[in-house]
Amino acid sequence: VQLVESAGGSAQAGGSLTLSCVVSGYTYSTYCMGWFRQAPGKEREGVAVIDSDGRVLFADSVKGRFTISKDNARNTTLYLQMNSVKAEDTAMYYCAADRRTVVRGCPLPRSVCCMDYGGKGTQVTISS
């Protein structure tokens, strides 16, 4: 299984940014897929998750500003739409996948521990 994030990018506070992650080789029928981030000097923080039951969860810090979606056409692509971004959203963003659904113990977004698969990350910088 491989997860490859697109180039992150930069935006001004109040603006928008979209991250994408191509997931290949994932053949399990159940999943949770999502994003976590890590800012310099801070712990990793779960951001959002979507699972095969249709559940979508967000961290309180991004609720109402970020959306998560998944496109199954051709290649599975996971998206994170970031709106009304803030300087504190600046971080390295990682996509991750796990065979567990939310009700079966998917760690995201409460925790980032022990997800089955993860990408290498992409930098997001928000200027104030």
Side-chain angles (χ1 to χ4, degrees), residues 22-43:
V22 175
V23 182
S24 59
Y26 192 97
T27 59
Y28 304 102
S29 59
T30 61
Y31 63 84
C32 69
M33 295 184 182
W35 298 86
F36 66 93
R37 65 187 181 184
Q38 187 166 25
K42 294 189 176 181
E43 293 188 357

Side-chain angles (χ1 to χ4, degrees), residues 50-128:
I50 186 169
D51 76 0
S52 49
D53 291 336
R55 285 182 174 81
V56 175
L57 296 175
F58 296 93
D60 288 343
S61 58
V62 305
K63 204 171 290 183
R65 300 189 297 119
F66 290 11
T67 60
I68 186 171
S69 61
K70 181 173 170 286
D71 182 357
N72 294 325
R74 195 167 183 182
N75 289 315
T76 297
T77 304
L78 188 68
Y79 297 96
L80 184 70
Q81 177 66 42
M82 306 165 61
N83 298 323
S84 302
V85 294
K86 304 176 182 180
E88 50 262 44
D89 294 322
T90 294
M92 187 73 79
Y93 283 72
Y94 302 84
C95 62
D98 194 281
R99 288 162 287 179
R100 293 168 288 182
T101 61
V102 169
V103 295
R104 294 290 185 185
C106 175
L108 287 177
R110 297 172 291 104
S111 168
V112 302
C113 172
C114 312
M115 292 290 285
D116 287 338
Y117 310 102
K120 294 184 178 180
T122 188
Q123 178 67 40
V124 169
T125 302
I126 307 300
S127 56
S128 56

